[in-house]
Amino acid sequence: MSNDQKKAAFRTHRNYIIGLSKWRSRLALIAVLVTVLCSLYGIVGSIVLYTENGLTVPELFRWFTTNTNCLTACAACMIIPFAVEGIRKKHFTYPKWVASLHYSGVVCAALTMVFSIAFMSWVDPYQAFGGYNTYLHIICPILVLAAFFLVESGRRYSLRDALAACIPAVIYMVVYFIEVVVIGKENGGWEDMYRVMEFMPFWLAWLAAVSLTVCISLLVRRLYNRLAAFRQERMNLHLWPLDVDPLEINIEMFGLGRYMGKHADREFVELPLSLISLIAVRYGLKTEDLIRPYTRGFLDSVKDREEQQAE
């Protein structure tokens, strides 16, 4: 392969990954919009369904399904601005705390579906699937799960992340225990809406529910991480020529910085660290050595754009 062919191959794969990031942003936007619409539809449906049965709106938040829909809708709404910026700047990323919140909502949605199928379906089939509950307990969680796996953040979730994602569900379980067992319905607490006390001691039910939540979270983590690994392989980094001159790589990093600078604000330096790190590992270079030419190109592009606007 000639030197010109090596340069062309490097530039082609760099542009391929930039285009892939733009597609990820669009896909993420579609996915989170689906989550928001499904969750809001579930919340409105819950209000209609339960108020018809004589419940007040505050009482709706005693149900885990209602709280789950609120959590997933909130997390998805937080991702929307980052997805829009990703489309505009050709680079999609969002903070880890937002990703963790999204992960927690998905775990709660999956727990709702599994609990409805595994327990409520034979204890009270109507409460599990009757009327609007089929959407709330089955269709909505499936759509939320599908949307979650479509958001390509490039992030891998750790075991600690998986355990942290269980916190909202565990908090609800603690509140449910206090209201149902400690306070009791006769003293102004909640009734045993899920009827777990009819079949087992509450401590056993609580332990089973926590274990189920952790298992679901670990399964979601495993599936997401495997999918993320597959998407990384899709970048075809193994096709990049190995014998590219380091100077040419620095030139391409400068060009990448200029490309990203065309769509960014001067105050916010876009740093596609995942891409830069992959290139550094591929060619046995230090990540910080590639960040410098990228930053110079970025600032150079921003400066040119500001000068054009001043004219």
Side-chain angles (χ1 to χ4, degrees):
M1 182 181 293
S2 67
N3 191 49
D4 289 341
Q5 289 175 324
K6 293 175 186 176
K7 293 179 181 179
F10 188 95
R11 190 174 295 109
T12 297
H13 287 285
R14 186 202 71 185
N15 293 337
Y16 169 77
I17 295 179
I18 292 173
L20 181 62
S21 182
K22 183 177 180 180
W23 167 246
R24 282 167 51 181
S25 302
R26 292 173 175 171
L27 191 61
L29 181 59
I30 294 172
V32 294
L33 286 176
V34 168
T35 300
V36 171
L37 292 176
C38 290
S39 299
L40 291 179
Y41 185 66
I43 294 170
V44 173
S46 298
I47 294 174
V48 174
L49 178 66
Y50 293 132
T51 51
E52 288 179 351
N53 295 327
L55 295 177
T56 62
V57 173
E59 289 178 305
L60 298 179
F61 292 93
R62 296 181 181 182
W63 296 88
F64 185 70
T65 303
T66 305
N67 294 314
T68 294
N69 285 327
C70 291
L71 178 60
T72 54
C74 180
C77 284
M78 291 180 180
I79 297 175
I80 290 175
F82 297 101
V84 172
E85 283 294 283
I87 295 173
R88 189 174 73 88
K89 299 179 180 179
K90 316 295 189 298
H91 179 59
F92 172 62
T93 184
Y94 58 100
K96 183 178 180 180
W97 69 268
V98 176
S100 299
L101 192 64
H102 193 201
Y103 185 9
S104 297
V106 169
V107 170
C108 291
L111 178 62
T112 298
M113 180 174 64
V114 173
F115 181 78
S116 298
I117 295 173
F119 182 76
M120 293 305 299
S121 60
W122 58 273
V123 172
D124 189 343
Y126 181 82
Q127 185 174 336
F129 308 124
Y132 194 72
N133 289 330
T134 300
Y135 173 82
L136 292 175
H137 297 156
I138 304 297
I139 298 177
C140 183
I142 289 175
L143 292 174
V144 169
L145 277 166
F148 175 73
F149 290 118
L150 288 175
V151 178
E152 299 185 44
S153 66
R155 180 178 286 104
R156 305 291 181 88
Y157 290 105
S158 65
L159 178 60
R160 182 176 180 179
D161 295 329
L163 296 178
C166 301
I167 292 176
V170 173
I171 290 175
Y172 176 85
M173 295 173 195
V174 171
V175 173
Y176 191 87
F177 169 78
I178 294 173
E179 291 287 346
V180 174
V181 179
V182 177
I183 300 176
K185 182 180 179 181
E186 62 279 1
N187 297 318
W190 301 351
E191 65 175 332
D192 185 14
M193 302 174 294
Y194 296 109
R195 300 174 59 182
V196 293
M197 300 290 290
E198 297 179 14
F199 301 92
M200 63 187 75
F202 195 90
W203 66 267
L204 181 59
W206 195 88
L207 181 61
V210 171
S211 300
L212 177 61
T213 304
V214 172
C215 289
I216 290 174
S217 183
L218 292 174
L219 178 60
V220 170
R221 168 181 174 263
R222 180 173 178 81
L223 292 176
Y224 188 92
N225 286 350
R226 287 177 66 88
L227 186 59
F230 170 76
R231 287 164 173 163
Q232 182 172 321
E233 292 177 3
R234 191 178 62 180
M235 291 183 179
N236 293 326
L237 283 178
H238 61 283
L239 296 178
W240 291 28
L242 279 173
D243 52 347
V244 176
D245 190 277
L247 178 60
E248 177 63 24
I249 297 176
N250 286 334
I251 293 173
E252 291 301 327
M253 287 296 100
F254 180 86
L256 177 62
R258 283 192 57 85
Y259 180 89
M260 300 295 285
K262 293 179 181 178
H263 309 279
D265 300 325
R266 189 179 189 281
E267 292 78 9
F268 301 98
V269 178
E270 294 292 324
L271 185 64
L273 188 58
S274 57
L275 170 58
I276 295 175
S277 298
L278 285 172
I279 295 174
V281 171
R282 177 64 175 170
Y283 293 104
L285 303 172
K286 293 182 179 180
T287 301
E288 53 268 30
D289 291 339
L290 297 183
I291 290 176
R292 283 193 286 268
Y294 170 86
T295 304
R296 288 197 299 270
F298 182 94
L299 295 176
D300 185 67
S301 179
V302 171
K303 182 180 179 180
D304 289 347
R305 191 179 63 184
E306 290 179 345
E307 291 177 352
Q308 292 175 0
Q309 292 174 350
E311 295 176 356

